[in-house]
Amino acid sequence: MSELDKVLDALMKDKKELIIQEAPSDDRDEFRALFRENKKKEIIEEIKEEYKQTLIQEADIEIKKEVNRQKIEDLKSLMWSGFLLAFIVGLAVNQATDIIGYYKGTVTADKIWPAIIITAVLCMICLIAYLYSFWKNAVTLFDDLKTEKPK
C-alpha cells in the first residue's frame, strides 16, 4: 500500500461520520470509493502543479548544458577543419601567385607546370573537403528530421 493510499484511508476514517450522515446506507461503499478516487486525483494534481515549475526549470538547465556541450564540440571541429582548410587555401594562393608571376614575367616557364599541378591538387582538396562537410551536415540534418517526426 502506497503512502497516498494510507493518507486516503486515514482521511476516510476521519470523514466516516460525514459519509454516514450524507449517504444512504446502501450507497455508502460506492460513495466512499468515489470520494476516495476523487481525493486521490485531487492530491495527485496538486502535487503535479507544485513540482511542475521545478521540473521545467531542471529540464531547461539540462537542455542548456547539452546545447553548450554540443556547441563546444562543433567549435572544436570547426577550428580544426578551419585551420586545415585555411592552410591548404594559403598554399593554393601561394601557388596561384606563381602562376600570376609567370604572366608577369617574374617566374620562368620551366617552373610554371609544377605550380599549376600543385594549385589544381590543392583546389581539389579544398573542393573535396567542402563537399564532404556539406554532405556530412546534410545527412545529419536529415537523420535529425527523421527522428523528430511524430509517430
Side-chain angles (χ1 to χ4, degrees), residues 1-150:
M1 181 176 267
S2 71
E3 289 295 318
L4 182 57
D5 289 328
K6 290 177 184 175
V7 169
L8 288 172
D9 286 342
L11 179 66
M12 296 307 287
K13 286 178 185 173
D14 187 47
K15 300 294 183 183
K16 187 175 183 177
E17 290 298 318
L18 178 65
I19 292 171
I20 290 171
Q21 289 175 4
E22 297 295 323
S25 60
D26 51 342
D27 293 336
R28 284 187 189 138
D29 289 336
E30 186 178 337
F31 183 76
R32 281 187 186 130
L34 285 172
F35 184 74
R36 179 178 167 68
E37 194 59 35
N38 285 340
K39 275 296 183 189
K40 190 173 188 177
K41 286 179 185 177
E42 190 178 302
I43 291 170
I44 289 172
E45 286 302 315
E46 188 176 321
I47 290 171
K48 280 183 186 177
E49 286 300 316
E50 186 175 324
Y51 289 103
K52 187 178 190 179
Q53 290 302 321
T54 305
L55 291 174
I56 289 172
Q57 289 171 350
E58 288 175 5
D60 191 39
I61 289 169
E62 289 298 317
I63 289 170
K64 284 180 182 177
K65 283 181 185 178
E66 181 61 28
V67 166
N68 286 337
R69 188 194 61 75
Q70 186 63 40
K71 284 181 181 178
I72 290 171
E73 294 279 328
D74 290 345
L75 183 61
K76 283 197 289 190
S77 173
L78 182 63
M79 284 177 57
W80 284 110
S81 62
F83 171 76
L84 182 64
L85 276 178
F87 181 73
I88 292 172
V89 168
L91 291 175
V93 168
N94 190 26
Q95 294 303 310
T97 303
D98 284 347
I99 295 171
I100 293 170
Y102 169 74
Y103 287 107
K104 288 172 63 179
T106 58
V107 176
T108 60
D110 60 328
K111 295 183 180 181
I112 193 62
W113 285 108
I116 291 173
I117 293 170
I118 292 171
T119 303
V121 168
L122 292 172
C123 287
M124 288 302 292
I125 291 171
C126 289
L127 183 62
I128 291 169
Y130 171 76
L131 291 174
Y132 171 76
S133 175
F134 174 80
W135 284 109
K136 180 180 162 191
N137 290 337
V139 167
T140 302
L141 178 66
F142 287 129
D143 286 345
D144 289 347
L145 288 175
K146 284 181 185 177
T147 57
E148 289 179 7
K149 279 186 179 177

